[in-house]
Amino acid sequence: MKKIGFVLTYTCIILALIILVDFAISKTTVTERITSKKILNQSYNNAGGNSHLSYSIVTENENFNCSEVFFDTLENETLININRSLFFNKVNSYQHLNTNQKETYSLRYATGLVIPIIASILLILSLIKPNISDILKFVTKVAILVDLVFILFF
């Protein structure tokens, strides 16, 4: 049973490193024309009744989210550069060609950088110090697998 745990730990560390490399290295950069901009009001069914706005850009071949600041600088028919990731072909960053403003969406930072770094550190520590909580190791492995599923399918 211990061998399965070690194999799963090493597999999750390798997955985390693959996700990190995918985020760090861009495969292609394409220039595309914005066809439309969308604002979506997303509301929650909770006691607070909160909501937030999501800003997305639609080009000829892509649809992706961006920040409000970047969204406000764009107009339809504007050209933007889009950097795609190495393995999973995700939008890593985008750049407004007229103003040279470049941005990476915050969710991409979380899924491509923060979660894999934290998971790698915790899993490597669990190999060095085996007395780390089994629940923490399990949650870390699940987090990296869910992160991979999110990158692949969303």
Side-chain angles (χ1 to χ4, degrees):
M1 192 66 172
K2 289 235 181 217
K3 284 188 177 185
I4 293 173
F6 281 119
V7 169
L8 189 56
T9 300
Y10 283 115
T11 303
C12 286
I13 291 171
I14 290 169
L15 286 175
L17 293 176
I18 289 171
I19 293 170
L20 278 170
V21 168
D22 180 64
F23 178 78
I25 300 173
S26 293
K27 176 175 68 174
T28 57
T29 300
V30 294
T31 302
E32 293 194 18
R33 186 173 308 280
I34 295 173
T35 56
S36 67
K37 302 179 344 178
K38 295 181 182 176
I39 300 174
L40 179 63
N41 184 10
Q42 297 181 331
S43 58
Y44 316 110
N45 293 325
N46 60 17
N50 298 330
S51 66
H52 74 274
L53 297 175
S54 294
Y55 302 91
S56 61
I57 299 170
V58 180
T59 66
E60 293 117 0
N61 301 313
E62 192 63 49
N63 182 4
F64 58 92
N65 290 330
C66 67
S67 71
E68 180 181 5
V69 173
F70 191 83
F71 184 85
D72 289 338
T73 64
L74 299 173
E75 295 180 15
N76 287 344
E77 303 299 319
T78 303
L79 290 175
I80 58 172
N81 276 341
I82 300 172
N83 292 329
R84 298 192 167 281
S85 66
L86 182 62
F87 301 122
F88 303 118
N89 206 29
K90 293 292 180 185
V91 174
N92 271 349
S93 63
Y94 36 90
Q95 179 180 14
H96 191 295
L97 288 180
N98 295 341
T99 64
N100 286 331
Q101 179 183 3
K102 189 173 183 178
E103 180 179 272
T104 300
Y105 189 57
S106 59
L107 185 59
R108 186 67 180 125
Y109 276 123
T111 60
L113 190 66
V114 175
I115 293 172
I117 286 175
I118 291 172
S120 298
I121 291 169
L122 289 174
L123 292 173
I124 290 170
L125 282 176
S126 76
L127 292 173
I128 295 169
K129 296 194 175 266
N131 60 349
I132 291 180
S133 168
D134 289 336
I135 294 172
L136 180 61
K137 289 188 268 189
F138 174 75
V139 169
T140 305
K141 291 171 188 174
V142 168
I144 200 66
L145 292 174
V146 168
D147 187 34
L148 180 65
V149 168
F150 181 82
I151 289 172
L152 289 174
F153 298 110
F154 297 102

